[in-house]
Amino acid sequence: MDPRLLKNLDYRIIIVITMLAALSILTISSATHVTAPGGSFHYTKMQFIWFLLGLVVMASFIVVDYHTIAMFSNAIYVVNVALLVIVLFLGRTTM
């Protein structure tokens, strides 16, 4: 890993994102702990798991050179549009 990567990383934005995620997890916990179907902290645990997964994805994109990502940008765009179309036709709502 390139040492300049850590030097040029904007730590303020990472701290702000982490604080915002912590606030959202706290809000979800206080709003749903009584009515959650899978236990009192089901939604809180799910939000925390997705936050951690997002951190892993973010770290992997930070480590990869952006020129490499740019080479695959058209393919990434097509896959994203295809996934959105699939959700449009196969997605369902609950509640």
Side-chain angles (χ1 to χ4, degrees):
M1 184 158 110
D2 192 2
R4 292 178 295 168
L5 179 70
L6 293 176
K7 179 183 161 218
N8 295 328
L9 194 61
D10 188 5
Y11 290 105
R12 289 181 297 181
I13 195 164
I14 294 174
I15 291 170
V16 168
I17 290 170
T18 304
M19 290 172 55
L20 185 61
L23 182 63
S24 70
I25 291 170
L26 181 67
T27 303
I28 289 172
S29 174
S30 70
T32 62
H33 70 88
V34 175
T35 60
S40 62
F41 291 106
H42 171 73
Y43 294 119
T44 306
K45 287 187 276 189
M46 293 305 297
Q47 181 74 12
F48 186 70
I49 288 169
W50 283 109
F51 171 67
L52 290 179
L53 182 65
L55 283 179
V56 169
V57 170
M58 182 179 68
S60 65
F61 273 100
I62 287 174
V63 172
V64 175
D65 184 29
Y66 73 93
H67 290 101
T68 306
I69 297 171
M71 286 188 329
F72 297 107
S73 63
N74 290 334
I76 292 169
Y77 178 76
V78 169
V79 168
N80 282 326
V81 170
L83 289 172
L84 285 171
V85 169
I86 289 171
V87 168
L88 181 64
F89 291 111
L90 299 179
R92 62 179 188 269
T93 59
T94 59
M95 291 248 193

